[in-house]
């Protein structure tokens, strides 16, 4: 009798463990990145053109001239860390922060700001990991060093060349308008999560910002 109870207890425990991990795996598989995962701070100074991601097709439908459209970014390449990522166009999320790409392999260009290659700060963000903590597109962004190369391919076929000039970590809730407002040159700012995961806030407690200048 005691043996049967022991077997029942162990079996029940195994079933509960399997159910628990099954739920965790399902949640991770269907995990949708939160809009504030890589957002550095509320974007108070940005012109709110749109809160929804744009694509070249949508822009064309909005009567954007083909010459202007050709300057829009299409692909981000960082040879050192083997990044070759499609660029989504993101705006401002409901929480007034910069939105992020809707998957873990693409990056997001802040469409409300500067076009890469223009004067000012063009901002691109990406996730550092996914719902299972597997590496995402910017998992190795922290491996970049001053002088490393970054390329942005445009819709028109040009390859814009940038070199890393600064690497800095910010507190997740710090005011970081300098990321968007630096305009004394042609800059590219890459943003991802850093630091430790906060269970309370469901995000990391820091943001890594890599600044590159066009050459």
């Amino acid at each position: 009798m005691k043996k049967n109870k022991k077997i029942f207890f162990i079996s029940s425990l195994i079933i509960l463990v399997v159910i628990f991990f099954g739920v965790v795996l399902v949640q991770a598989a269907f995990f949708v990145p939160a809009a504030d995962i890589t957002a550095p701070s509320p974007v108070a100074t940005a012109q709110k053109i749109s809160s929804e991601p744009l694509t070249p097709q949508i822009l064309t439908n909005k009567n954007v001239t083909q010459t202007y459209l050709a300057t829009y970014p299409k692909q981000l390449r960082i040879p050192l860390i083997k990044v070759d990522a499609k660029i989504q166009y993101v705006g401002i999320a409901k929480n007034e922060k910069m939105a992020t790409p809707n998957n873990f392999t693409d990056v997001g260009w802040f469409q409300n700001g500067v076009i890469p290659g223009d004067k000012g700060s063009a901002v691109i963000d990406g996730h550092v990991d996914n719902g299972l903590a597997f590496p995402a597109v910017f998992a190795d962004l922290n491996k970049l060093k001053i002088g490393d190369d970054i390329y942005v391919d445009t819709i028109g076929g040009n390859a814009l060349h940038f070199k890393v000039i600064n690497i800095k970590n910010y507190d997740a809730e710090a005011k970081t308008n300098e990321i968007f407002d630096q305009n004394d040159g042609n800059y590219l700012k890459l943003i991802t999560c850093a630091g430790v995961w906060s269970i309370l806030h469901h995000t990391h407690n820091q943001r890594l910002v890599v600044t590159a200048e066009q050459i």
Side-chain angles (χ1 to χ4, degrees):
M1 193 72 176
K2 289 183 177 179
K3 186 177 180 180
N4 289 338
K5 287 184 177 180
K6 185 176 181 180
I7 292 174
F8 176 78
F9 175 77
I10 294 174
S11 299
S12 299
L13 184 61
I14 292 173
I15 291 172
L16 288 174
V17 170
V18 170
I19 292 174
F20 172 78
F21 282 104
V23 171
V24 170
L25 287 172
V26 169
Q27 288 180 336
F30 292 95
F31 175 75
V32 177
D36 61 352
I37 286 181
T38 60
S41 71
V43 186
T45 60
Q47 180 182 1
K48 299 183 180 180
I49 300 172
S50 172
S51 61
E52 298 180 358
L54 293 179
T55 65
Q57 290 75 24
I58 293 175
L59 286 169
T60 301
N61 293 337
K62 290 188 176 221
N63 297 319
V64 176
T65 65
Q66 290 301 313
T67 301
Y68 189 60
L69 181 61
T71 67
Y72 273 60
K74 179 181 180 182
Q75 202 82 5
L76 175 72
R77 294 182 289 118
I78 312 175
L80 180 71
I81 57 175
K82 296 179 172 59
V83 167
D84 190 354
K86 176 184 175 183
I87 297 176
Q88 296 182 18
Y89 300 170
V90 301
I92 299 174
K94 293 180 180 178
N95 61 3
E96 295 297 310
K97 294 184 178 183
M98 177 180 172
T100 56
N102 59 14
N103 62 47
F104 303 103
T105 57
D106 296 347
V107 295
W109 164 58
F110 186 52
Q111 65 185 8
N112 300 47
V114 174
I115 299 172
D118 285 357
K119 186 177 180 180
S121 298
V123 182
I124 291 177
D125 61 12
H127 298 287
V128 69
D129 55 27
N130 67 9
L132 290 173
F134 291 147
V137 62
F138 276 168
D140 294 326
L141 195 66
N142 60 352
K143 294 181 180 179
L144 291 182
K145 304 179 297 297
I146 304 299
D148 285 339
D149 299 305
I150 300 173
Y151 300 89
V152 174
D153 298 326
T154 68
I155 292 175
N158 290 326
L160 308 179
H161 186 189
F162 298 82
K163 277 192 176 291
V164 176
I165 61 170
N166 189 46
I167 300 169
K168 184 176 179 179
N169 277 50
Y170 293 83
D171 182 83
E173 297 302 322
K175 292 184 178 180
T176 52
N177 287 334
E178 64 185 72
I179 295 174
F180 298 86
D181 294 344
Q182 187 177 359
N183 60 8
D184 58 344
N186 296 8
Y187 298 107
L188 180 69
K189 308 290 183 80
L190 305 182
I191 305 175
T192 195
C193 289
V196 297
W197 178 262
S198 169
I199 298 177
L200 179 63
H201 298 98
H202 301 287
T203 186
H204 292 75
N205 67 342
Q206 292 183 343
R207 300 292 179 264
L208 171 65
V209 180
V210 173
T211 300
E213 187 172 16
Q214 188 175 11
I215 63 171

